[in-house]
Amino acid sequence: MTGGMLDFFTLEASEYVEQLDGLVSRATATPPDAESFARALRGLRGAATMAKVTGIATLATGLERLAKQVRDGELAWDAGTRGVAIAAIDDAKILIRGVRNWTAAEDARVAALAFLLGRYAF
């Protein structure tokens, strides 16, 4: 991947995770706005797919599944669900900043997050 493409990905993906962070931070008793949350997640997944950053795409897909189940009433938006979403978003920020130095450790971090998200949204 070219340096320019990774620079663009980092900028775009960072904007999406900041949107997600704001939505989840405000969503204490009720879920975040489903449309805004889904739009930001689709954007993040799309940017990661285009830049071939599969770990971030995997993370976004897991969050999309969680968001869909919350929206559809299949999963309650409670402290646990919110905590998992916050953890995934916080880790996404770290992973995006380090995309140029991606190693097996980042792959393991994504796998652990995907497992955690999968325990909530299956």
Side-chain angles (χ1 to χ4, degrees):
M1 190 59 43
T2 66
M5 177 62 111
L6 284 178
D7 289 342
F8 181 76
F9 165 75
T10 301
L11 178 64
E12 185 177 26
S14 294
E15 289 176 11
Y16 286 125
V17 293
E18 288 305 320
Q19 290 173 24
L20 292 166
D21 187 43
L23 289 164
V24 171
S25 294
R26 291 186 299 273
T28 53
T30 60
D33 177 69
E35 185 177 323
S36 298
F37 201 59
R39 187 177 330 116
L41 285 167
R42 274 192 310 273
L44 178 61
R45 181 176 41 83
T49 300
M50 294 280 290
K52 296 180 177 38
V53 183
T54 56
I56 300 299
T58 298
L59 186 56
T61 299
L63 277 166
E64 282 181 299
R65 193 175 316 113
L66 182 135
K68 180 185 180 309
Q69 289 184 0
V70 168
R71 181 198 69 207
D72 294 348
E74 298 169 2
L75 181 64
W77 183 258
D78 57 18
T81 306
R82 182 174 183 264
V84 168
I86 289 171
I89 292 165
D90 286 348
D91 276 6
K93 289 178 188 180
I94 293 166
L95 290 165
I96 290 166
R97 282 193 297 265
V99 73
R100 290 183 180 279
N101 302 310
W102 199 277
T103 66
E106 284 75 24
D107 287 333
R109 189 175 201 162
V110 168
L113 285 166
F115 177 78
L116 181 61
L117 285 165
R119 290 186 65 209
Y120 277 82
F122 37 89

